[in-house]
Amino acid sequence: MDLTETFEWVRNHSLYLCENLIIEDFSLQASEEVSPPKWHLAHTTWFFEQFILVPNDPSYEVKHPQFNFLFNSYYNSLGARTARNQRGLMSRPSVEEVKIYRAYVDGAMLKLIGRNNPEIDELVTLGLNHEQQHQELLITDLKYSLWFNPLNPSVMDIEEYVSESKSKWIAVEPGVYEIGYSGDQFCYDNELNPHKVYINDFAISSALVTNEEYIEFMNSGGYENPTYWHDEGWAWVKELEVKAPLYWENQEDTWFYYTLNGLKPIDLDSAVAHVNFYEASAFAAWKGLRLPTEFEWEVSQNQFDWGKRWEWTNSAYLPYPGFTVAPGAIGEYNGKFMINQMVLRGASVATSEGHSRPTYRNFFHPKYRWQFMGIRLAKSL
Amino acid sequence: MDLTETFEWVRNHSLYLCENLIIEDFSLQASEEVSPPKWHLAHTTWFFEQFILVPNDPSYEVKHPQFNFLFNSYYNSLGARTARNQRGLMSRPSVEEVKIYRAYVDGAMLKLIGRNNPEIDELVTLGLNHEQQHQELLITDLKYSLWFNPLNPSVMDIEEYVSESKSKWIAVEPGVYEIGYSGDQFCYDNELNPHKVYINDFAISSALVTNEEYIEFMNSGGYENPTYWHDEGWAWVKELEVKAPLYWENQEDTWFYYTLNGLKPIDLDSAVAHVNFYEASAFAAWKGLRLPTEFEWEVSQNQFDWGKRWEWTNSAYLPYPGFTVAPGAIGEYNGKFMINQMVLRGASVATSEGHSRPTYRNFFHPKYRWQFMGIRLAKSL
Amino acid sequence: MDLTETFEWVRNHSLYLCENLIIEDFSLQASEEVSPPKWHLAHTTWFFEQFILVPNDPSYEVKHPQFNFLFNSYYNSLGARTARNQRGLMSRPSVEEVKIYRAYVDGAMLKLIGRNNPEIDELVTLGLNHEQQHQELLITDLKYSLWFNPLNPSVMDIEEYVSESKSKWIAVEPGVYEIGYSGDQFCYDNELNPHKVYINDFAISSALVTNEEYIEFMNSGGYENPTYWHDEGWAWVKELEVKAPLYWENQEDTWFYYTLNGLKPIDLDSAVAHVNFYEASAFAAWKGLRLPTEFEWEVSQNQFDWGKRWEWTNSAYLPYPGFTVAPGAIGEYNGKFMINQMVLRGASVATSEGHSRPTYRNFFHPKYRWQFMGIRLAKSL
Amino acid sequence: MDLTETFEWVRNHSLYLCENLIIEDFSLQASEEVSPPKWHLAHTTWFFEQFILVPNDPSYEVKHPQFNFLFNSYYNSLGARTARNQRGLMSRPSVEEVKIYRAYVDGAMLKLIGRNNPEIDELVTLGLNHEQQHQELLITDLKYSLWFNPLNPSVMDIEEYVSESKSKWIAVEPGVYEIGYSGDQFCYDNELNPHKVYINDFAISSALVTNEEYIEFMNSGGYENPTYWHDEGWAWVKELEVKAPLYWENQEDTWFYYTLNGLKPIDLDSAVAHVNFYEASAFAAWKGLRLPTEFEWEVSQNQFDWGKRWEWTNSAYLPYPGFTVAPGAIGEYNGKFMINQMVLRGASVATSEGHSRPTYRNFFHPKYRWQFMGIRLAKSL
Ligand SMILES: [Fe+3]
Ligand SMILES: [Fe+3]
Ligand SMILES: [Fe+3]
Ligand SMILES: [Fe+3]
């Protein structure tokens, strides 16, 4: 696919994800952390308008003077922003108007892409990766918001259950390894620079932890014994009276699980999903094992299957040696989040096709579980 | 109008109020205190279904088994309820489905009304008054939610500005007066029983406080001087850095005011609206005057015009002598709110036609301002 | 007693109350609502210094330039204040220094009182009533703070249990009655002006509700049934999982009660104490009865014994007709609290001798229970 | 010094630190994070009683049955604990009783130490290191609590200002280095195991950032420009309206700084203290530099002076390869805090003599500033 085709394909995919939504679903925002589908559709469009069209196309007229204000996200340097937790309150512009906005920007973008300007093309690639990131968020945010509806709406055909085969230990030789992206395709700034890391003797599990194993942990008092938990994780368990992963619901002693396709009985063979870092760590501690570091994951990932669950690592999200913040607003991109977040590696059933790499660093605060997050175990040798 | 006609007229009016809304507007809920239009439309319908059809029509089948759960409000005795602040999250049932629900219940109701059963008719009248109350809330809740939208949407043709003539003092003779409703039409339980109250010597203002007068208060430091305020009111001013009534916005030294018809410059001659009890009291204190009691208001109301603003009184919302709580769920109606609320008398530009009486007791916590609340002054003689 | 003797007697009583305290107890402040004993001792002294000595004695030198800042309370007009919830953090000045401060001010005051200036004497009387109010708070605040100590300290010899005889109904003739203070001794501004109130037909109970009766309410599910509760009261019960009055503790199915003399088994015959307005109202509703209004209480109080418990009334704390706020800082005294508080009548085991009157209006927000608050029932006839 | 002498020396030092306190100071607790001096004195004693005397000395009788409950800290496995934020409320036991408790435990301990049992001696060393940690907290917690007192109490003779010489860059060779403690003296479990780390090319500053440099940052708008800050740090600045390090106070355009010796003008030449990780990072970003990692610090520390400020690193507090949690309650020691904390290296003016090592890993949540925390800069080469 050339860039024009990729552009059209990625842009259409965002709309395709919303095919089964009713208008009312487009505004759902169940918490500050999640955004409504309509906002994702508009914000990804605004990114192209603001960072590519406005600076590079003198003939371009912004669609609406206030859209910059409405669909800005965390880019503080671009001006005042609407409060994050009020995105669901923007009933106007309507879904229809946002779709028109998308078409308007797409038209202008396609003309610009036609010029084959390498600098612009690089920005377009960044914009498309940005949109793909938001596609995954659109899915996971929507799932979270719909879950508050006692009617358990069914809106997407994603196969959330993924069977895991029996796990084996994969041992890795200690030594100095190269970490980070060193290819010539697109990567995020947080994957740079490629650099050396010394890896000590360890082994990693070939399979993800399954629902069956996780239920064993639950049944053996996993959520009642502080020994397995970080102090902060234990406080989280106690405060919210957590007893199971997110979206799990017990009805007459049977576990059900809310999927984007409606409520379903738990599939014991599937990889567990929607656990946070505290839960992943506690599970590992209960097993007498630990989570891998992101470096251990990266040097061993070619020896196991991955891509259905974001896998918690025991690495904090920190800059690689020589990491620098790009100047200007786009430069705010990743560096400012490098505190109090843990790295997740891999990809998930909600990740857009073509949007994963062995060096990709996803990151979330340890308390969050609304992504498709799973557990892979490791041990020091 | 007979009861059938009244029923159809009131029920249609709820839909009429939503005529200019887009689907996206129907789910707006900007705070826990307000409810989305769709919820109001469904909840008022549920009231007829649950309190009239289910107990009185053996052939009636509820529209949906979970609507009782979804559209219940504060009637704790009817079962678990969805959290009040999550009403905006119920994207399903859709607006369309709620309209079908309304039509379905209306059909069953009209048959039941046709039977001319006096007990049922009394309940129908209660249900219609309930719906009219929610019509006013639909308007004021919607205004509050739309106000968060920087686009200042215009959705309703309500003349919010009402000019006041010059005020005069109306003096009232002291003595024992009869208070409360003693007619034979509908009234709420909180207007009963009619009883004697001794009224001391006082005078009441013939006009409401205007925007011009209120701006004078603001300009003379009204929001900066604790002397005028209740301790609790002053804490409210300080915490939220309040500087003007709700919906007021200062742009380059000019005051604007958000109406359901969009943002407009302040009309100096109009009665001030959207002040809370703390502000009303502080204004009165600044003037060296006070607010009337609800009894003073009731015995003098036939000597002045009212009906455009709910008027704060200095009376707490408490039961009249002999007040009793009706048995059963409907009985929860009013008594349980008789604490920490102040009485407002009159009616407002958002009150439905035919839904006001001189003995009507509206009530809100002193901090709220999202109703069309205004100020009438009084003094002891 | 002449004023000099009264002054010495009241001032000494504050110190006498602290006789069994260790230095460490003097700083206890378990919540924002309560103040440490040391603060009460200093603040009551500051009142004399600031409102009497400074304006009236040109030769008086304030003890310390920052004491005005430290021991001010809610008198906003006198300058910045230390945050209310940080009073327990003022380890300096020491208890010893505060006692020296008291002696210093007492010396100056006694000279001033010797002059027999009627205007000053009136202020002195106000200051002594202020101190007596704080004496009761010193007791109840300290009880609250000590209750957090698992060692159940015993520090005061107050007979908290008071036996109630069997209750009878006392009926009162309807008609116009005179309410408020009309004598020539000291009273607070909130007891004025004396004025007429029409009292409808009612009866009031001769005895207070006992622990035995209250346990009956608890055992019959009083705290589990929303029907008896105000909506706000029910939210309070649910949020804090309330199951009994304050200071009650269940050990192996026996109820104990923390007193200033240590933990004791519940005395069934004693009047219940430490219930809030929500609990008092719920108890009354469970009985099919109600609380009296403050007016009903005042016109009937000479027909029953009172003085061991502050008795919740169903009257909101509002100004009497003709009430005016005195100019100046002392004028802030009562008016600013006239919102969201309910009136309590009577007095309690912690009230200082000579500090009660039939027209005395105590007031607290309905949620509070740390005073010795009890329940007297009434009914409309 | 032999172990007996060390024991006496360390134990006495805790009391020595309190020499200038008045009884009232011993209970101060200005926030949940800090503990009162009395609690530190008792809790360190309880550690010896509970972990050494009770398991190892059959003749030992605990001083008081409830002290285990009162002076427990975060050791969840030992039983219920008093809420952390209520430590200041424990007026009983008195300071005197706690001193008697210390003497009682010391007596029993000295006998036990006399037995020269190596296993016990190891626990004693742990207990003494525990006490030294609490000595530093006693100092810093007390400073924090006293700071709320407008009288600016002076209680300790610590030279808080430390002059820094002009900074030079120290470059370090890249390569594999050994990290962690490998000696045969005491170290904490978090310093183990010694292991290899690859260090990339970098340079580190020979001096700490001074107050003068920090004021330059402040004056050039450091606290007003989000570009320099982590997203979370910026939210912290905005919410608390931070404008300077902790304990800084601006009086008529001069900066003052509260020390344990009272309020003093800022010393421009001194190393800045009491900045949190967000501030340290923002300062570094403003300089176009960065903080060192804890590994960079460890391999270069012998080339510069350190020990007056805890130095923020850009390393998250995570386990070293092969780290294992010791079984039993003492095992809870460090592992459970390994999330959302950043490592600080070095020591401070409040660190007890003999309680620092090049491999020592201190750690705090990035928002905290009440320790003597400073800034050393680094850069990649
Ligand atoms: Fe984005
Ligand atoms: Fe309703
Ligand atoms: Fe006072
Ligand atoms: Fe400790």
Side-chain angles (χ1 to χ4, degrees), chain B residues 144-255:
Chain B
Y144 186 73
S145 294
L146 286 170
W147 174 61
F148 284 81
N149 195 322
L151 304 176
N152 290 315
S154 167
V155 301
M156 260 185 219
D157 247 348
I158 287 180
E159 190 42 78
E160 297 196 12
Y161 285 138
V162 290
S163 287
E164 287 294 314
S165 46
K166 200 167 157 39
S167 187
K168 292 177 209 156
W169 285 112
I170 300 164
V172 175
E173 278 299 292
V176 174
Y177 284 81
E178 180 98 351
I179 290 293
Y181 187 75
S182 53
D184 54 3
Q185 302 290 304
F186 174 83
C187 81
Y188 283 114
D189 58 356
N190 61 19
E191 299 168 57
L192 300 173
N193 293 342
H195 63 287
K196 297 201 179 77
V197 166
Y198 189 90
I199 306 273
N200 291 272
D201 224 357
F202 82 102
I204 194 164
S205 173
S206 69
L208 295 171
V209 169
T210 64
N211 285 330
E212 185 167 21
E213 293 172 287
Y214 201 83
I215 286 174
E216 230 181 290
F217 166 68
M218 287 158 59
N219 290 346
S220 77
Y223 283 96
E224 286 123 50
N225 189 339
T227 316
Y228 308 133
W229 297 81
H230 286 100
D231 197 57
E232 216 178 67
W234 184 243
W236 171 81
V237 167
K238 287 282 119 187
E239 192 198 331
L240 303 180
E241 301 178 36
V242 183
K243 294 184 164 38
L246 187 63
Y247 302 129
W248 287 42
E249 200 180 312
N250 202 304
Q251 292 180 1
E252 295 163 24
D253 277 330
T254 309
W255 282 108

Side-chain angles (χ1 to χ4, degrees), chain B residues 39-40 43-44 46-47 71 73-75 130-131 133-134 137 333:
Chain B
W39 187 88
H40 284 298
H43 164 73
T44 49
W46 162 87
F47 188 99
F71 301 126
S73 54
Y74 46 77
Y75 305 98
H130 175 255
E131 181 136 2
Q133 271 192 301
H134 278 279
L137 289 172
Y333 212 78

Side-chain angles (χ1 to χ4, degrees), chain C residues 163-171 203-210 212-213 269 271 283 287 289-290 292 303-305 311 375-379:
Chain C
S163 288
E164 285 295 312
S165 46
K166 203 170 154 35
S167 186
K168 291 177 209 155
W169 285 111
I170 300 165
I204 195 165
S205 173
S206 69
L208 295 171
V209 170
T210 63
E212 184 168 21
E213 293 172 288
D269 295 335
F283 180 89
K287 276 280 193 196
L289 298 167
R290 62 172 176 83
Q303 300 184 57
F304 53 77
D305 286 337
E311 306 181 13
I375 312 171
R376 186 181 302 277
L377 298 169
K379 60 181 174 186

Side-chain angles (χ1 to χ4, degrees), chain C residues 20-31 38 64 66-67 69-70 82 86 88-97 145-146 148-151 153-155, chain D residues 20-31 38 64 66-67 69-70 82 86 88-97 145-146 148-151 153-155:
Chain C
N20 300 325
L21 303 191
I22 62 174
I23 299 288
E24 289 88 337
D25 295 330
F26 280 85
S27 298
L28 291 174
Q29 181 183 30
S31 79
K38 188 170 74 179
H64 191 289
Q66 279 180 286
F67 283 6
F69 178 73
L70 285 170
T82 51
Q86 292 165 12
L89 292 181
M90 299 304 111
S91 61
R92 323 286 181 103
S94 68
V95 173
E96 196 50 37
E97 287 172 291
S145 294
L146 286 170
F148 284 80
N149 194 323
L151 303 176
S154 168
V155 301
Chain D
N20 300 326
L21 303 191
I22 61 173
I23 298 289
E24 289 88 338
D25 295 331
F26 281 86
S27 299
L28 290 174
Q29 181 183 29
S31 79
K38 188 170 73 178
H64 190 292
Q66 280 180 285
F67 282 7
F69 177 75
L70 285 170
T82 50
Q86 291 165 14
L89 292 182
M90 299 303 109
S91 60
R92 324 286 180 102
S94 67
V95 172
E96 195 51 36
E97 286 172 291
S145 294
L146 286 170
F148 284 81
N149 195 323
L151 304 175
S154 168
V155 301

Side-chain angles (χ1 to χ4, degrees), chain C residues 66-193:
Chain C
Q66 279 180 286
F67 283 6
N68 185 27
F69 178 73
L70 285 170
F71 302 126
N72 184 349
S73 54
Y74 46 77
Y75 305 97
N76 286 312
S77 47
L78 282 182
R81 50 179 175 174
T82 51
R84 240 199 111 134
N85 60 352
Q86 292 165 12
R87 290 173 179 167
L89 292 181
M90 299 304 111
S91 61
R92 323 286 181 103
S94 68
V95 173
E96 196 50 37
E97 287 172 291
V98 165
K99 285 181 177 168
I100 290 167
Y101 177 40
R102 288 183 69 90
Y104 176 84
V105 165
D106 285 357
M109 280 301 300
L110 285 170
K111 273 189 247 160
L112 207 58
I113 294 171
R115 289 202 224 147
N116 296 315
N117 175 326
E119 267 175 51
I120 288 175
D121 288 1
E122 201 180 315
L123 282 171
V124 172
T125 301
L126 177 61
L128 293 175
N129 275 275
H130 175 255
E131 179 136 3
Q132 287 184 310
Q133 270 191 302
H134 277 279
Q135 285 166 357
E136 178 151 10
L137 288 172
L138 189 156
I139 295 169
T140 52
D141 290 2
L142 180 61
K143 180 173 177 180
Y144 186 73
S145 294
L146 286 170
W147 174 61
F148 284 80
N149 194 323
L151 303 176
N152 290 315
S154 168
V155 301
M156 261 185 218
D157 247 347
I158 287 181
E159 190 42 79
E160 297 196 12
Y161 285 138
V162 289
S163 288
E164 285 295 312
S165 46
K166 203 170 154 35
S167 186
K168 291 177 209 155
W169 285 111
I170 300 165
V172 174
E173 278 299 292
V176 174
Y177 285 81
E178 180 98 352
I179 291 294
Y181 187 76
S182 52
D184 55 3
Q185 301 291 303
F186 174 83
C187 80
Y188 283 114
D189 58 356
N190 61 19
E191 300 168 57
L192 300 172
N193 293 342

Side-chain angles (χ1 to χ4, degrees), chain A residues 225-344:
Chain A
N225 189 339
T227 314
Y228 308 133
W229 297 80
H230 285 99
D231 198 55
E232 216 178 69
W234 183 244
W236 171 80
V237 167
K238 287 283 119 187
E239 193 198 332
L240 302 181
E241 302 179 34
V242 183
K243 293 182 165 41
L246 187 62
Y247 301 130
W248 288 41
E249 199 180 314
N250 202 305
Q251 292 180 3
E252 296 165 21
D253 277 330
T254 308
W255 283 108
F256 289 82
Y257 167 72
Y258 176 61
T259 75
L260 283 157
N261 237 331
L263 197 70
K264 305 203 168 164
I266 276 290
D267 176 353
L268 293 176
D269 295 335
S270 174
V272 71
H274 298 300
V275 289
N276 66 18
F277 176 81
Y278 303 129
E279 289 168 302
S281 287
F283 180 89
W286 171 75
K287 277 280 193 196
L289 299 167
R290 62 170 175 84
L291 301 176
T293 66
E294 62 167 322
F295 311 114
E296 291 169 342
W297 192 95
E298 190 170 321
V299 302
S300 60
Q301 53 78 28
N302 56 345
Q303 301 185 58
F304 52 78
D305 286 337
W306 55 267
K308 304 301 190 187
R309 298 287 181 264
W310 286 105
E311 306 181 15
W312 284 109
T313 72
N314 204 35
S315 293
Y317 181 49
L318 293 168
Y320 284 172
F323 170 83
T324 48
V325 175
I330 297 186
E332 292 195 20
Y333 213 76
N334 268 312
K336 66 198 293 196
F337 297 115
M338 290 178 171
I339 187 64
N340 287 346
Q341 318 248 11
M342 297 305 280
V343 172
L344 298 110

Side-chain angles (χ1 to χ4, degrees), chain D residues 119-240:
Chain D
E119 269 176 50
I120 288 175
D121 287 1
E122 200 180 315
L123 282 170
V124 172
T125 301
L126 177 61
L128 293 175
N129 276 276
H130 175 255
E131 181 135 3
Q132 286 182 311
Q133 270 191 303
H134 278 280
Q135 285 166 357
E136 178 151 9
L137 288 172
L138 189 155
I139 295 168
T140 53
D141 290 2
L142 181 62
K143 180 173 177 180
Y144 186 73
S145 294
L146 286 170
W147 175 61
F148 284 81
N149 195 323
L151 304 175
N152 290 315
S154 168
V155 301
M156 262 186 218
D157 247 348
I158 287 180
E159 191 43 77
E160 298 196 12
Y161 285 138
V162 289
S163 286
E164 288 294 313
S165 46
K166 201 168 156 39
S167 186
K168 291 177 209 156
W169 285 112
I170 301 165
V172 175
E173 278 298 293
V176 174
Y177 285 81
E178 179 100 350
I179 291 294
Y181 187 76
S182 53
D184 55 2
Q185 301 290 305
F186 174 83
C187 80
Y188 284 114
D189 58 357
N190 61 21
E191 298 167 59
L192 301 173
N193 291 342
H195 63 288
K196 298 203 179 77
V197 167
Y198 188 91
I199 305 272
N200 291 273
D201 223 359
F202 82 100
I204 194 163
S205 174
S206 69
L208 296 171
V209 169
T210 63
N211 286 330
E212 184 168 21
E213 293 171 287
Y214 201 85
I215 285 174
E216 232 182 288
F217 166 68
M218 287 159 56
N219 290 346
S220 76
Y223 284 96
E224 286 122 51
N225 189 339
T227 315
Y228 309 132
W229 296 81
H230 287 99
D231 197 57
E232 214 177 69
W234 184 244
W236 171 79
V237 167
K238 287 283 119 187
E239 192 197 331
L240 302 181

